[in-house]
C-alpha cells in the first residue's frame, strides 16, 4: 500500500516554524549537542564510559552528565579537556555567509603528497645588520671610548 | 523526518504549534533536538534521543517536553522517522504517553496494510526542500 506523502506547495504553519533560521541560542545548543555526539562516538569507539571521561577530564561525574544532556553552557576549555580525554583536538572555523565549510578528518598518509599542507622549517633570513665578531669587538670599543 | 496525521487527527502538528506559542524555550529545545536527529542522523546521546524498544523512540528536552517517534522502514516507504505523539504535558504520566505512542504506531502499521485508508505524512521543511526519494 502506498503511503501518502504530503508535499504542499506552500509551507504549512508548522513547516514555517521549522524553516525559520535558528536564533543564536538555538544554534549554540545545536553546536554543543553536535559536539556531544562526536564525543560519544569517540567514547564508544574507545570503550570509555562517563565516569572514566570525568576522571580523564579532571572533573566530577555530575559535570560530565550536565555536559552530555546539554544543560550546561560549554566553556571552550571544557570542550578542549573533553577532546583530549578521548585523544582528540578541537578544531574550529568561521565560514563567511554564502559559503560552506566541510571538514575532512584524515591521517597525513591518506592524502597524496601533492595536496599535503607544506610544512617547511623556517630558517631566519640573513640580516643586513648582522655584525661579524671582529666588527662587534670594534663597535664595543667605540662605545667604550 | 515526518509528522503523522491520521484522518483529521494531526495531534503532533497541533502540539508543536501550541508549544511554540505557549513555551517558546521548550519549543526551541525540541526543535534543536529534532534537527540533530533529522539532519545529521546522530543518535548517540540518550539524553536527547532514546530507544524505548519495541520500535519506539523518544526525542526529549531538559524541560520535560518530548515527542515520540517510530521508524517506518517498510519496503515501500521512504525510511522515515515518523513523529507520532507528544509527551511531558501536565496531568499526564510518561507511561501513559508511551502507551499512547505505541498505540498510534500500531494503528499506523495496521492502516498501512489496508488499501482504502492512508495515513498522511507531513514532511518537515528541511527535508521538504531537499527530499530525495529512496
Amino acid at each position: 500500500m502506498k503511503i501518502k506523502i504530503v508535499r504542499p506547495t506552500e509551507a504549512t504553519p508548522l513547516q514555517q516554524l521549522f524553516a525559520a533560521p535558528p536564533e543564536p541560542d538555538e544554534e549554540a545548543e545545536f553546536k554543543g549537542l553536535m559536539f556531544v555526539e562526536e564525543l560519544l562516538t569517540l567514547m564508544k569507539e574507545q570503550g570509555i564510559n562517563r565516569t572514566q571521561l570525568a576522571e580523564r577530564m579532571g572533573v566530577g561525574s555530575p559535570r560530565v552528565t550536565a555536559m552530555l544532556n546539554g544543560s550546561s553552557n560549554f566553556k571552550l576549555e571544557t570542550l578542549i579537556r573533553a577532546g583530549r580525554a578521548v585523544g582528540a583536538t578541537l578544531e574550529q572555523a568561521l565560514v563567511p555567509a554564502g559559503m560552506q565549510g566541510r571538514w575532512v578528518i584524515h591521517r597525513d598518509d591518506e592524502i597524496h603528497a601533492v595536496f599535503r599542507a607544506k610544512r617547511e622549517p623556517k630558517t631566519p633570513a640573513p640580516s643586513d645588520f648582522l655584525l661579524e665578531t671582529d666588527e662587534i669587538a670594534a663597535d664595543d670599543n667605540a662605545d667604550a671610548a | 523526518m515526518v509528522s503523522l496525521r491520521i484522518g483529521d487527527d494531526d495531534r503532533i502538528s497541533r502540539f508543536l504549534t501550541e508549544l511554540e506559542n505557549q513555551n517558546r524555550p521548550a519549543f526551541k529545545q525540541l526543535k534543536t533536538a529534532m534537527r540533530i536527529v533529522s539532519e545529521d542522523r546522530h543518535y548517540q546521546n540518550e539524553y536527547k534521543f532514546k530507544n524505548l524498544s519495541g520500535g519506539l523512540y523518544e526525542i526529549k528536552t531538559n524541560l520535560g517536553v518530548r515527542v515520540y517517534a517510530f521508524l517506518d522502514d517498510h519496503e515501500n516507504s521512504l525510511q522515515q522517522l515518523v513523529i507520532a505523539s507528544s509527551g511531558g504535558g501536565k496531568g499526564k504520566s510518561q507511561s501513559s504517553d508511551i502507551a499512547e505512542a505505541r498505540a498510534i504506531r500500531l494503528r499506523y502499521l495496521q492502516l498501512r496494510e489496508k488499501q482504502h485508508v492512508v495515513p498522511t505524512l507531513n514532511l518537515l521543511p528541511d527535508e521538504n526542500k531537499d527530499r530525495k526519494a529512496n
Side-chain angles (χ1 to χ4, degrees):
Chain A
M1 184 195 78
K2 287 186 180 179
I3 301 296
K4 179 180 177 183
I5 307 293
V6 175
R7 302 174 190 271
T9 53
E10 292 180 3
T12 63
L14 177 62
Q15 290 172 330
Q16 287 175 12
L17 279 179
F18 274 80
E23 295 173 10
D25 58 336
E26 285 180 76
E27 191 66 15
E29 185 179 4
F30 179 79
K31 298 287 186 196
L33 290 175
M34 285 305 302
F35 174 87
V36 167
E37 288 289 335
E38 292 173 14
L39 179 67
L40 288 168
T41 300
L42 289 173
M43 287 170 64
K44 189 175 179 181
E45 288 175 2
Q46 299 175 30
I48 301 171
N49 61 31
R50 289 170 206 156
T51 304
Q52 292 167 327
L53 180 72
E55 287 173 4
R56 293 184 180 200
M57 289 176 64
V59 300
S61 292
R63 276 275 297 273
V64 169
T65 300
M67 182 175 70
L68 296 183
N69 71 15
S71 62
S72 69
N73 288 324
F74 298 129
K75 290 172 62 176
L76 271 178
E77 180 184 339
T78 303
L79 302 185
I80 291 169
R81 282 181 183 272
R84 288 186 178 181
V86 292
T89 57
L90 179 67
E91 304 288 340
Q92 80 289 330
L94 281 176
V95 180
M99 301 182 71
Q100 290 185 357
R102 291 286 184 265
W103 286 104
V104 177
I105 300 174
H106 63 87
R107 294 190 310 271
D108 252 357
D109 59 6
E110 289 176 323
I111 298 293
H112 192 283
V114 171
F115 300 104
R116 287 181 204 160
K118 294 182 180 178
R119 297 192 194 105
E120 296 172 356
K122 290 185 179 178
T123 54
S127 167
D128 291 338
F129 303 98
L130 184 65
L131 299 176
E132 297 295 333
T133 310
D134 294 342
E135 289 170 322
I136 294 172
D139 198 42
D140 287 344
N141 289 335
D143 286 341
Chain B
M1 181 179 289
V2 294
S3 63
L4 175 62
R5 185 180 85 210
I6 299 181
D8 293 331
D9 184 7
D10 194 357
R11 62 184 69 190
I12 197 63
S13 296
R14 195 167 54 245
F15 165 75
L16 290 171
T17 305
E18 287 174 359
L19 185 66
E20 200 271 342
N21 290 329
Q22 296 169 4
N23 190 345
R24 188 161 170 77
F27 172 78
K28 283 164 45 171
Q29 274 201 19
L30 189 58
K31 179 184 166 188
T32 300
M34 291 170 72
R35 184 182 158 198
I36 288 178
V37 173
S38 69
E39 287 187 13
D40 298 274
R41 306 185 190 278
H42 283 74
Y43 316 119
Q44 299 284 354
N45 192 349
E46 284 205 342
Y47 287 108
K48 294 297 175 188
F49 186 77
K50 189 173 182 182
N51 186 344
L52 298 177
S53 75
L56 198 65
Y57 298 90
E58 182 183 64
I59 301 174
K60 54 185 181 176
T61 69
N62 298 338
L63 300 175
V65 175
R66 61 202 66 178
V67 293
Y68 295 97
F70 58 87
L71 186 64
D72 182 358
D73 54 0
H74 190 270
E75 58 184 17
N76 292 330
S77 79
L78 298 180
Q79 305 291 309
Q80 307 279 0
L81 188 66
V82 182
I83 308 297
S85 66
S86 61
K90 294 180 181 178
K92 298 172 70 178
S93 70
Q94 190 170 2
S95 57
S96 66
D97 290 340
I98 293 174
E100 183 181 352
R102 291 196 191 281
I104 291 172
R105 173 180 176 269
L106 186 60
R107 186 171 174 218
Y108 172 86
L109 295 176
Q110 290 169 345
L111 285 173
R112 202 176 61 190
E113 300 305 316
K114 294 184 179 179
Q115 294 294 325
H116 59 281
V117 178
V118 293
T120 303
L121 301 179
N122 296 302
L123 286 166
L124 292 177
D126 286 324
E127 296 201 39
N128 192 22
K129 62 184 177 181
D130 294 323
R131 191 70 205 162
K132 294 178 184 177
N134 284 341

